[in-house]
Amino acid sequence: MKNRSHRARSIALALLFTVAAATQALAGPQACLEPGQVTAKLSPVDLWEGIEACVTAGRYDAAVFLYAVAGSFARFDVLRVADDSAHRAAAELPRAGLAALPKPQAAAFRRQVQATLGDDATRGRYCVEVLRVGPPDYLPGYMLREGIGGFNGASDTHPFVDGFDPKSAWPQAVKEYLECPAAPSR
């Protein structure tokens, strides 16, 4: 009986730590992240929270990098999620993210994005840096919940495109989203 009680307590503690870690991961970044802090485990939703923090702090360069990664991750999710109706989530994130900002800051951020990514050489450097982050390593719940499959349960049974190849899709997503001047390479 003592062994069973110890095992039950160990399982309960493991579950508690797992839930705590998951809650922290779901909360996403609450601060502006430097490019070196961005990982493939952060979803576009997490990155938009970071963008908001960066813009609020006046760190528009960091916000533009997060924007480039968030958009590339969202494009990757569009390529891998089978439910076409879920893909609208990729377009909604920037709209919602910009709407959360005060109008003057949102306008300043848009100008910074256009100035930074409007320059071919700078955009090419961003393409390389975003590619180095690597393909997303999270479940795109934000997108799966958005589509019709999120309502009828279909996204739970077969959410991804058959034969999806993340290794080839990642450079494709970065190139398509950022309109890279040349095929990005590591």
Side-chain angles (χ1 to χ4, degrees), residues 25-26 38-48 69-81 90 93 133-145 159-160 164 166 170 173:
L26 289 174
V38 176
T39 71
K41 296 206 179 288
L42 296 170
S43 75
V45 174
D46 298 328
L47 293 166
W48 269 98
V69 176
S72 296
F73 279 7
R75 179 64 191 140
F76 182 90
D77 292 339
V78 165
L79 295 172
R80 71 176 166 161
V81 171
L93 282 173
V133 173
D137 186 21
Y138 56 81
L139 183 67
Y142 76 99
M143 188 173 283
L144 296 174
R145 286 185 300 275
F160 300 113
F164 180 76
W170 178 233

Side-chain angles (χ1 to χ4, degrees), residues 1-7:
M1 185 70 166
K2 189 175 187 178
N3 213 6
R4 186 181 281 169
S5 172
H6 177 69
R7 191 163 74 197

